[in-house]
Amino acid sequence: MRGTTTTLTIGERVAWYRRRRGLSQEVLAGLIGRTADWLGKVENNRIDLDRLSVIKSLAEALDISLGDLLGEPALLDWTTDSGTHTVPALRAALMNYRALAPLGGGTDTEPPSIAVLRKEVGALWDAYQDSRFGYVTSRLPDLLHRAQDAADHHDGDDQDDARRLLGLAYQLAATQLTKLGESDLAWIAADRGLSAVRPTGDPLITGSLFRSVGHALHATGRYTDAVRLTEDAAGYLEPHLSQATLALLSVYGTLFLSGCMAAARANDAATTRTFLAAADQAAGKLGADANHLWTAFGPTNVAIHRVATAAELGDLQVAIDLGPRVDTTGLPMERRVRHALEVARAYSSWNRVDDAQAMLLDAEQMAPEQVRHHFLSRQLALTWVRRQRGKPSTELVSLARRLKVLD
């Protein structure tokens, strides 16, 4: 089913799966504490279904995955940036048995030096933050292979450095795969990363990888588990904060940003506020926006998450009031576009559809791959097409076709 319903809205997918389960609207609505009238409006696109907490409750009642209702994953387009080997090649790299138990034999090529490997890892993380998803996905298999070679063949301090870089490469794989809707593969990548870095005892890279575990939990709708992970990971890092580097402080603060999203999606407003306050305190100590270890952490990223959590909790007034005022121009492209999608969602829910469409079109121009692979942009565009009376505008139809939600 998944992959064949890209031209259905989330509400229409709910109807499709409900019929497959043989449930009436009254029964399904009752299972999640809603009315049949509300569910009918959802299925007919008269109510926006963009809060993940609500989507998750419907997925659980229908005994399907969150990704089934979101319509993920979407096919990664072949471009000059990506080539023709993308997610399947990365899947094969993650299933490399040498990462589980090196058996000797090695490779015929010289493993990269630590300096070269560090440059390659940094370049690919930079490309991810520029929203070049196809480029990153296609080049990760080779990077993982080279980083594993370095970890297997170097010794002493160089081996520890290689393991740290291997951990960061796995973190990037987990982060990218989450964006592409490949949550199971993302979990494997995060787990591999933690295994790679564990012998070093490095709290910085370990803490950074915990964030990827949290993202993988988000992607499968395990929001309560993600909240607990945030608490456990913060507890792990806290003994190291007395002499924290700026990078460690950024990793610590970013954990709470991931956690506040999980809490909001679990409808836990109190924990959301607590985590936001902890992130805000860390950002205050940092003093300004920064990008240590590719966290994009600072006061602006905290403000972005205030908007996103408000939208998840249904507080559209906060999202509308604060969202457009947040200046993201100093942040990496991935953060800027993600915030733009939140503002577009808030505008659409507030019935300011023209503003929402303008925001989404601007975001698409900045980062077309990122916009296409986020459920919010696909849901918004297709819902707008469905709701327009008469013939949808040429601009809107073109947008929906570019996002692959309209034949």
Side-chain angles (χ1 to χ4, degrees), residues 320-369:
I320 284 290
D321 290 345
L322 178 59
R325 301 205 314 266
V326 178
D327 182 3
T328 63
T329 53
L331 296 187
M333 183 63 69
E334 184 274 332
R335 289 286 80 205
R336 294 174 60 192
V337 171
R338 182 65 185 86
H339 178 65
L341 295 183
E342 286 295 347
V343 177
R345 163 164 69 164
Y347 278 147
S348 183
S349 297
W350 213 251
N351 207 28
R352 292 172 58 179
V353 177
D354 289 344
D355 291 330
Q357 289 184 21
M359 184 66 68
L360 184 54
L361 287 168
D362 286 345
E364 186 201 20
Q365 190 169 21
M366 290 190 292
E369 287 180 284

Side-chain angles (χ1 to χ4, degrees), residues 117-134:
L117 186 59
R118 183 175 287 112
K119 183 177 179 180
E120 291 176 352
V121 170
L124 219 52
W125 265 104
D126 290 344
Y128 165 78
Q129 289 196 320
D130 285 339
S131 298
R132 297 172 64 190
F133 290 179

Side-chain angles (χ1 to χ4, degrees), residues 44-55:
N44 289 310
N45 304 307
R46 292 164 59 197
I47 291 179
D48 286 333
L49 193 58
D50 54 13
R51 291 178 60 195
L52 284 172
S53 59
V54 180
I55 299 170

Side-chain angles (χ1 to χ4, degrees), residues 218 223-232 234 255-280 305-306 309-310 313:
H218 283 228
Y223 305 130
T224 302
D225 287 341
V227 169
R228 291 196 199 101
L229 171 71
T230 301
E231 295 167 343
D232 291 343
L255 279 172
F256 286 109
L257 293 185
S258 176
C260 75
M261 290 303 302
R265 289 166 180 169
N267 278 320
D268 186 346
T271 301
T272 300
R273 290 192 295 270
T274 298
F275 284 174
L276 277 172
D280 195 40
H305 282 76
R306 288 192 190 282
T309 53
L313 290 167

Side-chain angles (χ1 to χ4, degrees), residues 240-294:
H240 304 279
L241 292 180
S242 58
Q243 296 179 321
T245 62
L246 295 179
L248 183 60
L249 188 59
S250 297
V251 166
Y252 179 74
T254 307
L255 279 172
F256 286 109
L257 293 185
S258 176
C260 75
M261 290 303 302
R265 289 166 180 169
N267 278 320
D268 186 346
T271 301
T272 300
R273 290 192 295 270
T274 298
F275 284 174
L276 277 172
D280 195 40
Q281 185 177 24
K285 291 180 180 178
L286 193 64
D289 291 331
N291 194 26
H292 300 291
L293 210 65
W294 302 282

Side-chain angles (χ1 to χ4, degrees), residues 150-162:
D152 290 345
H153 289 87
H154 289 300
D155 54 23
D157 290 342
D158 280 352
Q159 185 177 57
D160 280 348
D161 285 342

